[in-house]
Structures are given as structure tokens and as C-alpha cells.
Amino acid sequence: MDCKEIGKILDRYAYKNGHDGSSIWNEWLEWMCNVFEWQTINEKGFECALLAAKNDNEDYYLAMVSYFEFAYEKILVDGGCDALGNIYENCYKSSYKASSTGQFFTPEHVCDMMALIVKPKDCNEDKIITHSDCCCGSGRLMISEWKFCDKYAKNLFAAGDIDDTSVHMSAMNFMVNGMAIVTGK
């Protein structure tokens, strides 16, 4: 599975329903976040929530499952993955949005280098290590921090962004990577 296939699934859905790709992208992200909202899982149970999601929108469900496959393949190799950032950059981010809002995603290898520089040197079991980013984008820098941190330490990732799309991307990326998170606008 590659990221362009997920874009194709969403583009077919957009075409079929007379919408543009970027609005479908935002709607799909919000839909996924709602599927995994704690209250939804608590009320329905995990399996029933997924079945309800599939019944609600089969195309979004297919794109979500494909996203999970794409992300997990990369996580197994790299230890962490900004799958949604990769899909967004390859399929949806227009040069207009980047230049008009100043929204540019930091390359993954630069994020990895920065994460290694700020990596905590010592961790004890009782200390909570807080990682924060107030303009998180898709969460790429924090995912790099996650790749290189002690997974047995108490890590808390707090992320925010002014852009709803970015908040949804980072929330889903953090969940898929298994990170303890707080996100918001």
C-alpha cells in the first residue's frame, strides 16, 4: 500500500459525491477522529464502533483501513511514521496553502535529527517526560521524538495547531503510533 492509493480512494469518493478533494480530506480526518473518540468506543465497544463506521461510510472505512496498513508497514521498519503527513503532502497540500499560510512540513530526516538533539539523557520511572509542540502540523516532530525516546518511561505528548486539519492529522498519527497524547486547537 502506498499513500497515493489512499488519495485515490478519497478522490473517487469526492468525485462520486460531487465534492473537491481537500474538503473530503478534512471530512475524512474528522470522521476518523470521531470513530476513535473515547466516548464512542466506551459506548459501543471497539468492534461495534468499527462496524458502525463501515456501515456509515464504506469508502472512508476503506481509506482508513488502507491508512492503517500503510502506517503500520512504515512503523515496523522505522519505529514511527507520519503517514497522514505523507499522504497529505503527496495528494492534497497545494502550493497555494503552503505559501499563503506559511504551512510547510519539516522533512522527516530533519525531525529525526532534532529529536536526537533534544532527547532526554536520563529518565526515572516516576518522572513524566512532557513533549510539546504548539504548531504541530501532522505531528511529525513529536513522532520523531517518540521513535527515539524510552518507551518504558512516562512520555506525554501535548500538541496544538491553529489549523483543524493539522490537529486531526496529529491526533490520528499519534494514536496509530501508540503515543499518549493531548491535542487541541
Side-chain angles (χ1 to χ4, degrees):
M1 177 64 57
D2 77 7
C3 63
K4 292 199 186 276
E5 289 301 314
I6 298 162
K8 288 178 186 175
I9 294 167
L10 294 172
D11 286 344
R12 278 193 305 269
Y13 178 78
Y15 179 76
K16 183 170 66 176
N17 291 286
H19 294 94
D20 67 284
S22 64
S23 66
I24 291 299
W25 173 256
N26 293 332
E27 188 179 293
W28 176 63
L29 289 170
E30 189 173 344
W31 179 88
M32 279 198 304
C33 286
N34 289 334
V35 169
F36 291 98
E37 192 173 72
W38 171 247
Q39 188 175 8
T40 304
I41 301 297
N42 195 35
E43 288 174 6
K44 298 179 179 182
F46 186 70
E47 289 178 16
C48 288
L50 287 179
L51 182 59
K54 183 177 183 180
N55 292 334
D56 175 55
N57 190 319
E58 199 164 333
D59 292 311
Y60 280 2
Y61 181 82
L62 177 60
M64 179 179 69
V65 169
S66 298
Y67 155 63
F68 291 152
E69 290 172 0
F70 174 70
Y72 287 131
E73 285 174 13
K74 295 190 76 58
I75 289 167
L76 287 173
V77 172
D78 297 335
C81 172
D82 173 20
L84 288 173
N86 291 326
I87 298 164
Y88 183 63
E89 285 183 308
N90 284 296
C91 302
Y92 294 102
K93 189 177 117 186
S94 68
S95 58
Y96 168 76
K97 183 168 185 178
S99 63
S100 68
T101 63
Q103 185 180 47
F104 299 94
F105 286 30
T106 307
E108 288 178 284
H109 65 279
V110 173
C111 290
D112 287 350
M113 180 195 65
M114 292 167 62
L116 287 169
I117 291 169
V118 300
K119 180 181 173 183
K121 302 291 185 246
D122 61 331
C123 301
N124 68 46
E125 293 176 11
D126 298 325
K127 183 180 174 185
I128 295 175
I129 302 164
T130 304
H131 310 261
S132 62
D133 188 348
C134 62
C135 51
C136 65
S138 60
R140 188 171 283 176
L141 178 59
M142 298 183 94
I143 292 167
S144 288
E145 289 180 26
W146 172 247
K147 287 178 4 183
F148 299 112
C149 73
D150 178 358
K151 303 294 189 287
Y152 298 103
K154 296 175 184 172
N155 292 284
L156 175 64
F157 296 85
D161 204 293
I162 196 168
D163 180 38
D164 287 337
T165 300
S166 294
V167 171
H168 291 123
M169 282 194 295
S170 61
M172 287 305 299
N173 271 335
F174 294 165
M175 183 202 69
V176 155
N177 279 280
M179 300 161 62
I181 62 164
V182 177
T183 60
K185 185 172 176 183

